[in-house]
Amino acid sequence: ALAYFLRGLCQRSLNQLEGATQSFSRAVQLDPGLIAAREELVEVSTALRRDNDAVAGLEALAAQEPSRLDRLVALGLGYARAGRPDLAVRTLGRAAEEHPESAEPYAAIGRVWLGVAEGQRDRVALNKALAALQTVVRRGAENSDSLLLLGRAQLMAGDVGAAERSFRQATARFPLEPAALLQLSLAAERLGHLATARDALARYSTLVGDGTPTPERATRLGDLSIHLNEPAVAAAWYAKAITGSSTPPAAFARLAEAQLRARNRSGAADAIRLGLEADPRNPQLLALQRRLDRR
């Protein structure tokens, strides 16, 4: 069993998920008590989106260790992923009854009901999600993830101000859930808090991927900086949106406009020249060229 388990770990590291599934399954057959193999089998099944297989593994783990809260919570969330929200809530409700000292089941219940609300535009499910997540907050057990969920629910309920506060609190907790920064940026922009929106989006861009903003996010950061009347900052962001031959002419036009506002004639000229090389007849760039010539 251990040999199959170790081979499965190697296969998973090589992203050979089908082979890993077979190895972990064989390990469990040979030694049903090898919990680590069951856990890995669940992880691989989830990665392959075989939700029913993952649920079967989670049920076996919960049966082996019935007193562990994390097993019940994982099983409840597994039922939700498999499209069985009612069973998920019942399982998580049992976890809450058996572990009244913990707020973790309520956070999971909130996640399940929020998923139903977002998928079906169900106001009753949304209210249940809000109630569960507010219970977590009342108990003082909120973390970045649960505050992010609460903010999403509040945003869906139309309370943008409360959502922004929840997202802001989520970004101040560690470990930080990066998505809270993106949600904070969106909520803050809706409220006209543009500096907060830009700073949150900038932080998000440094945390995801390779730390470099995508052209779309760099453009949005530039737009927010323009609205904040900071053209030099905007130009720096727009420059990050230019990625080579695939860059649309509008990106060069944005950069040139920001450079003109920042009184950087040479920077504007360079942006216009590069844009016209890609599209010599672009009306926006030609208009900017005429403005530059008049100056």
Side-chain angles (χ1 to χ4, degrees):
L2 184 59
Y4 279 105
F5 170 65
L6 292 173
R7 185 172 74 171
L9 291 178
C10 294
Q11 290 168 318
R12 185 181 177 188
S13 296
L14 294 168
N15 203 35
Q16 298 173 3
L17 299 187
E18 292 290 351
T21 299
Q22 296 174 11
S23 296
F24 292 137
S25 297
R26 182 60 177 152
V28 170
Q29 289 173 357
L30 291 171
D31 184 358
L34 186 55
I35 289 177
R38 289 190 183 276
E39 291 174 333
E40 291 293 338
L41 185 56
V42 167
E43 292 291 333
V44 173
S45 297
T46 301
L48 290 170
R49 298 186 178 180
R50 295 172 181 169
D51 294 326
N52 291 330
D53 291 342
V55 163
L58 290 168
E59 288 173 336
L61 287 167
Q64 281 185 297
E65 299 178 299
S67 64
R68 282 183 56 173
L69 171 62
D70 60 331
R71 296 297 190 204
L72 278 178
V73 170
L75 177 58
L77 294 175
Y79 284 137
R81 285 192 298 272
R84 301 158 73 181
D86 292 339
L87 185 53
V89 171
R90 286 201 298 273
T91 301
L92 294 168
R94 177 160 63 91
E97 291 175 1
E98 295 178 1
H99 300 271
E101 77 290 348
S102 176
E104 186 178 355
Y106 292 98
I109 290 170
R111 182 185 298 277
V112 172
W113 282 126
L114 181 58
V116 173
E118 290 177 335
Q120 303 177 13
R121 311 304 297 179
D122 187 328
R123 182 71 196 201
V124 174
L126 177 59
N127 289 337
K128 290 180 178 180
L130 284 166
L133 294 166
Q134 286 164 351
T135 297
V136 177
V137 174
R138 283 197 302 271
R139 293 189 174 196
E142 67 272 22
N143 56 21
S144 183
D145 185 57
S146 59
L147 286 166
L148 169 60
L149 293 172
L150 177 59
R152 284 168 50 192
Q154 291 166 328
L155 197 61
M156 188 175 178
D159 194 344
V160 184
E164 185 195 34
R165 288 191 294 274
S166 294
F167 293 140
R168 191 187 298 275
Q169 292 171 19
T171 63
R173 304 296 176 91
F174 294 93
L176 169 64
E177 180 59 51
L181 290 163
L182 183 58
Q183 292 295 326
L184 173 59
S185 177
L186 295 172
E189 185 174 355
R190 286 178 60 177
L191 293 169
H193 302 160
L194 300 185
T196 297
R198 183 185 63 184
D199 292 346
L201 184 57
R203 285 182 63 195
Y204 176 78
S205 298
T206 64
L207 289 178
V208 298
D210 61 358
T212 301
T214 63
E216 294 77 12
R217 290 194 196 108
T219 298
R220 190 66 202 134
L221 286 161
D223 291 346
L224 288 167
S225 299
I226 285 292
H227 290 310
L228 288 165
N229 197 29
E230 298 179 10
V233 176
W237 285 116
Y238 287 143
K240 293 179 184 294
I242 295 175
T243 57
S245 59
S246 61
T247 302
F252 293 103
R254 273 189 169 91
L255 175 56
E257 178 69 39
Q259 296 286 31
L260 282 172
R261 290 194 188 187
R263 300 181 181 179
N264 184 348
R265 289 177 53 83
S266 62
D270 288 341
I272 293 169
R273 176 179 54 78
L274 290 171
L276 289 175
E277 286 177 0
D279 184 2
R281 297 183 179 180
N282 184 271
Q284 190 175 9
L285 288 167
L286 290 172
L288 287 167
Q289 180 67 68
R290 289 192 292 272
R291 281 176 56 191
L292 182 64
D293 292 342
R294 286 197 299 271
R295 292 188 181 188

